Amino acid sequence: MKLKRPYIRIVFCRLKLAILLLVMLLFIKEGYAQKVNLEPIPLRVASQVFSPEEYYIARVIDERKDLNPTAFVVVDLMRGNNLETVNLKGGTIHALEQYILEAYPGNRDLLPVVIRVKDCKIIEKLKDSQTGAVEGDIHLDFTFAIDRDEQLVDLLDFQGGISYQRGFRQVNLLEAFLRRSVNLSMKYFNDWIEKDAANNQKLAKTVRLEISDYKGSNDKDTVFYSPNRPLTWEDFKGRPRFNNYAASIFASIGYASNSKVENGEIVVDLVLKTYMLKSSSWVRIGNDSYGLNHEQRHFDIAKIITERLKNTLQALSLAPHNYERKVSFHYLEAFREMNQMQEEYDRETSNGTNGSAQQRWNDKIDSALEELGVD
């Protein structure tokens, strides 16, 4: 029995509709709603960006508090904001270091710079599920520091990155966006260091001490040491103490410093001071020139120590990051040496009452002053 033609047409139309629906479903599944496969993000060096002229990157270190994966990426349009995490290929810090060292090769005779990575994140969101548009932000938080004998001296903070848009399937663009962000951080630091290199103390390469003696005038309470200005009893203004001594002097040493940077070198103007304080020095009524000589020799001892300190400081090899600490250390050592020598002087001369010992110390002090060029 033959089928009627209208029935054949209906079956054929239904078949065409079914095929069309199947094709549409396949299209949606394969071409639009399929979850994107996500691989670790590489950082590729397309070419050398530039070679720093004032520094080189020594290493990149990890100081992130958040050790979660670097990127939170849209990979599924049906669940657009259920982000998938992924790291940089080889690990975040390793990938950043390898990229920076290759893209920014430097002369290892220059200043060693360390990049302290505080944060590195890629965060995305689905902007439009119909068009497949994805928005993202890259945030970098770097601190650039100089490595001074394994001590890091911070120079500059960089907190920035870029915002971007991409198509749903264009996950390969993440590498280019991140590379651009890293390049921005390097340019920011390089521009800063080229501008400040000659005048920034942290960037200085060497230190030069210019040492001198204080040349100012005495004031109401202070007498500064001068071979041409010996002490008089009028310099002893303090109230006598309740002890058996006939007189006492407060003699000491100190220094003041100012620094500036000239063509990448720290120039330190260091002024050494040997002084006595009138209000802390005293004498009982009726003392004589012999007693005054004993007190003058205390002042001379302070000057001897100042000159020895000067010679010590002039022989030092100083680094920009710790020269102040070294100068302070040697000053304190000199101060201790002065106190020890003063005590030895008083002990051996019995505070000046032993005349022969006093003469030996007079000769010893005169010889030391002459040897040190104090005249």
Side-chain angles (χ1 to χ4, degrees), residues 54 111 148 196-201 203-207 260-267 320:
E54 299 290 340
L111 292 172
R148 299 285 196 184
D196 283 30
N199 302 305
N200 190 301
Q201 184 163 319
L203 300 174
K205 300 178 179 67
T206 56
V207 178
K260 58 185 177 181
V261 181
E262 295 180 350
N263 298 320
E265 181 177 55
I266 299 175
V267 181

Side-chain angles (χ1 to χ4, degrees), residues 130-180:
Q130 298 299 315
T131 63
V134 175
E135 289 183 338
D137 291 295
I138 296 178
H139 175 69
L140 301 180
D141 187 349
F142 293 169
T143 294
F144 293 86
I146 287 184
D147 188 347
R148 299 285 196 184
D149 299 328
E150 300 302 320
Q151 177 183 343
L152 297 183
V153 180
D154 290 346
L155 297 175
L156 186 70
D157 292 328
F158 173 84
Q159 294 179 335
I162 64 171
S163 297
Y164 63 86
Q165 288 191 5
R166 67 172 179 87
F168 165 65
R169 288 188 166 278
Q170 295 175 309
V171 290
N172 60 303
L173 294 180
L174 293 177
E175 185 272 338
F177 295 144
L178 180 57
R179 178 159 31 93
R180 188 187 308 169

